[in-house]
Amino acid sequence: MERNSSDDEEDNQHLIPQNDTRSRHRENPLSSSATNGGNPRSAFQIEDILSRRKISLNKRYVLAAVALTISIGLIFLFTDPRQLFSVNLSSFKLDPLSSRVKESELRALYLLRQQQLELLSILNGTTNANSSVKFAVSKQISLNKEIQEALLSPHKTGNHSGDEPGSVVNLYDRCMKVDQKLSDRKTVEWKPRSDKFLFAICLSGQMSNHLICLEKHMFFAALLDRVLVIPSSKFDYQYDRVIDIERINTCLGRNVVVSFDQFKDKLKKNRPRIDRFICYFSSPQLCYVDDEHIKKLKGLGVSIEGKLESPWSEDIKKPSKRTVDEVQRSFKSDDDVIAIGDVFYADMEQDWVMQPGGPINHKCKTLIEPSKLILLTAQRFIQTFLGNNFIAIHFRRHGFLKFCNAKAPSCFYPIPQAAECIARIVERSNGAVIYLSTDAAESETSLLQSLLVVDGKIVPLVKRPPRNSAEKWDALLYRHGIEDDSQVDAMLDKTICAMSSVFIGASGSTFTEDILRLRKDWRTSSMCDEYLCRGEEPNFIAEDE
């Protein structure tokens, strides 16, 4: 049983009366005898009385001492001496030195918290950094957390939990939204001449690559004061099914982009043409354009004047960092219609390109976003199946094994290891359910689901189900006849992932990069967003062929 100083004081008060030697009122035997009228006692009698009283007093001292010794022995026998003499300082006022120590600790905690937020911001902003840099930053975040816990440990009680609402540890949400620092944006104005056009050429990769390429083409068009021509669906993807092209003009407050059909209408008097075809990359192939695509352009009635040319020596495998001045100087032309291709791999002012909202000044959150139909369908799916607190994961598997193993380190993880990584994010974010965007086989997703257990509970994995007439979340797609379009499906997946509380992506995938772009532009990026198993290598890697 715990005891403190006040208990000891109470015990002492009980013991003192048995040993009290302080002066008290005693009856004088002489005066007593005189008062009673008896004969006065002799000196021998007085000495005898005093002697008896002295013996009686000594016996009291002995008995009290024995009782005290026994009591102390029993106390030591049945109690913990450390608890017995422990002192509860809560009732005392701290001296000035203790106050200064406490202030210093709080100041140190505040500075560590600021450092942690900055490190997390750096970690989420270094999408192009190598894995060793990301791992080093992650280690510093862990060290920062350990220092905070060490500072807080003396102030914790046995029932204290650092995650309690209002506790010192939980001063901020662990998966709070990332501060995008919009006031620091560096942008250019896009005010094109209505008679000067830039024909976008995007040929490498799938739709995600093309959308990233298209965004870079907008930057080029803004720098060169030209209207951007969106390619025909007979030459490229059918962009108007997945993005709202006219909305781009609304965001700028002027006509800055036109469809291929609008471009032809503007050149009614003349046959559609490309006056000058400029290649961003000179090797291994000019413009990354083959004969088949040249034939497709000509099949659309577009004549190509002159030959393909490049203003510089640029290898697509080792792109050089280029500046705004270099681009304006190298691609400047008096021709009415120029084409630039392919700029997906172009490394030009990445700090500008990677800003929230992109490098162009406009009044929207982002210029390239899903069409209204896809946006509403995603919202209806979330309301039906997921709710406001869900984790989304892009779990790329098909064709990823060989691709990842060619990299160092590999990014293809065994299912059990992937499940452990995902479970850690679930614990950190308290997500109730996981939306799974994947091309993985059923055998892989079933195993993943069986291994996703947190706090003894299975965390549900949700995929978009097959069409069911009883469900109305996807009615808009059917009503407009785009329910079976693979590009619409892909953009719907991206949109759902971009709206999640926390996102886990696939390193090296442009599908993931486009989701991260949307999250950055829509301000939905979380401190807990990361690539799957970030900082880890696969615990097993197959040999090369």
Side-chain angles (χ1 to χ4, degrees), residues 203-222:
L203 303 175
S204 61
Q206 302 299 317
M207 172 64 90
S208 297
N209 299 47
H210 287 228
L211 290 176
I212 294 170
C213 174
L214 199 63
E215 186 179 35
K216 290 184 178 181
H217 267 297
M218 291 181 183
F219 193 14
F220 275 74

Side-chain angles (χ1 to χ4, degrees), residues 205-257:
Q206 302 299 317
M207 172 64 90
S208 297
N209 299 47
H210 287 228
L211 290 176
I212 294 170
C213 174
L214 199 63
E215 186 179 35
K216 290 184 178 181
H217 267 297
M218 291 181 183
F219 193 14
F220 275 74
L223 294 175
L224 301 173
D225 299 323
R226 290 178 176 272
V227 174
L228 184 66
V229 180
I230 305 296
S232 165
S233 59
K234 295 179 181 178
F235 177 76
D236 201 341
Y237 287 107
Q238 190 170 350
Y239 289 105
D240 59 0
R241 279 200 165 194
V242 294
I243 62 173
D244 189 345
I245 295 174
E246 192 54 41
R247 177 184 166 279
I248 298 172
N249 292 325
T250 302
C251 291
L252 271 295
R254 63 186 74 91
N255 289 327
V256 293
V257 295

Side-chain angles (χ1 to χ4, degrees), residues 133-153:
V133 172
K134 293 178 180 178
F135 183 69
V137 175
S138 181
K139 290 286 286 183
Q140 291 304 310
I141 292 172
S142 298
L143 179 62
N144 177 290
K145 185 178 179 181
E146 288 180 20
I147 297 171
Q148 289 188 50
E149 289 176 351
L151 281 170
L152 286 167
S153 61

Side-chain angles (χ1 to χ4, degrees), residues 310-321:
S310 179
W312 50 39
S313 177
E314 191 72 37
D315 189 343
I316 200 169
K317 295 180 179 178
K318 296 180 180 179
S320 305
K321 293 185 181 295

Side-chain angles (χ1 to χ4, degrees), residues 371-383:
S371 67
K372 190 69 173 178
L373 287 177
I374 294 175
L375 199 60
L376 288 172
T377 302
Q379 291 174 350
R380 291 180 177 185
F381 179 85
I382 292 171
Q383 184 177 358

Side-chain angles (χ1 to χ4, degrees), residues 295-314:
K295 289 178 182 178
K296 284 184 178 181
L297 280 175
K298 291 180 178 180
L300 292 169
V302 178
S303 62
I304 301 176
E305 309 295 332
K307 297 181 179 181
L308 276 62
E309 59 178 291
S310 179
W312 50 39
S313 177
E314 191 72 37

